[in-house]
Amino acid sequence: MSNGLTNIAVFASGSGSNFEAIAEEALAGRLPCQVKVLVCDREHAPVKEKAQALGISVFCFRPRDYEQKADFEAEIVRMLQEADVELIALAGYMRLVGSTLLKAYEGRIMNIHPSLLPAFPGKDAVEQAMEANVKVTGVTVHLVDEGMDTGPIIEQEVVRIQTTDDAQSLQKKIQQIEHRLYPAVIQQFVEGEI
Ligand code: GRF
């Protein structure tokens, strides 16, 4: 943090709109962070191109090249420590974090999830909310523990589901909130307000 910026790593497996929102805020100087690296577990994930376009390093690994989770996580931890990464933000990383990463970054891994946890954890949270016919859902940012979307909740924001909504329109509303909320929570976290 020698330049006054907190070094962060973003982990993502997919399209990377949250990665992009965080990285753009940081690059514009609105977030006191430097996104040192994108960690990606999928060779062809679109998020990789987003990182390259923004000049952010990519650490891409193939889980099947390792015998077990502890092996690739140990390599990730070594790389993160070399890059002086202090905080990890999961943004659509489709994998449970294991004990190797959790121990190395205890209390310093956060995740964003497209529902009001503890409702609708896991995959397809937006579709789950539609199918349950609930009137509200939302976005949660939480600290990561060994469970699936179970760690302590940091912040939540509500989205009302209109009768005209389908999964696609609801997803769009949720993502708009995510792109504002995640950088804001990261900022509060690095400024010690959380
Ligand atoms: C987001 O909706 C996030 O809440 C969930 O995964 C999705 C990732 O989307 N954990 P994107 O790749 O950031 O566009």
Side-chain angles (χ1 to χ4, degrees):
M1 160 133 169
S2 51
N3 50 6
L5 300 176
T6 299
N7 292 329
I8 68 174
V10 178
F11 285 38
S13 311
S15 73
S17 68
N18 280 282
F19 162 79
E20 195 171 39
I22 295 164
E24 283 179 351
E25 286 300 288
L27 286 166
R30 290 188 292 265
L31 187 59
C33 294
Q34 183 175 359
V35 181
K36 291 282 281 196
V37 61
L38 165 75
V39 175
C40 182
D41 60 348
R42 293 202 185 154
E43 221 171 329
H44 301 293
V47 66
K48 287 173 66 183
E49 280 164 33
K50 292 194 165 102
Q52 279 148 8
L54 293 169
I56 293 172
S57 323
V58 177
F59 180 88
C60 189
F61 67 100
R62 289 195 307 183
R64 66 172 183 275
D65 289 347
Y66 300 81
E67 241 172 60
Q68 49 188 357
K69 184 178 286 201
D71 297 333
F72 65 73
E73 287 201 342
E75 200 171 320
I76 292 172
V77 167
R78 271 197 299 279
M79 178 279 295
L80 295 177
Q81 287 174 343
E82 254 169 49
D84 287 325
V85 166
E86 297 150 274
L87 174 69
I88 296 172
L90 308 185
Y93 180 62
M94 302 304 283
R95 196 167 285 282
L96 276 182
V97 173
S99 57
T100 306
L101 250 173
L102 281 170
K103 270 189 208 132
Y105 280 88
E106 200 187 345
R108 293 185 294 150
I109 307 178
M110 53 172 84
N111 181 42
I112 189 157
H113 184 77
S115 76
L116 295 174
L117 290 172
F120 312 130
K123 280 212 281 186
D124 304 326
V126 175
E127 288 77 6
Q128 289 185 55
M130 289 299 293
E131 273 164 30
N133 278 314
V134 290
K135 300 293 178 200
V136 293
T137 183
V139 176
T140 301
V141 180
H142 65 96
L143 286 178
V144 171
D145 63 12
E146 58 290 331
M148 167 93 79
D149 304 321
T150 50
I153 290 170
I154 301 173
E155 190 55 277
Q156 294 186 302
E157 209 166 301
V158 173
V159 178
R160 197 156 182 91
I161 304 179
Q162 308 293 342
T163 48
T164 49
D165 273 323
D166 57 17
Q168 216 183 347
S169 65
L170 182 57
Q171 167 96 12
K172 204 168 162 200
K173 288 180 197 171
I174 283 178
Q175 288 227 312
Q176 276 170 357
I177 291 175
E178 290 186 337
H179 299 162
R180 172 174 48 72
L181 190 66
Y182 211 4
V185 171
I186 291 171
Q187 173 153 10
Q188 285 172 13
F189 192 90
V190 303
E191 289 177 350
E193 289 166 24
I194 290 167

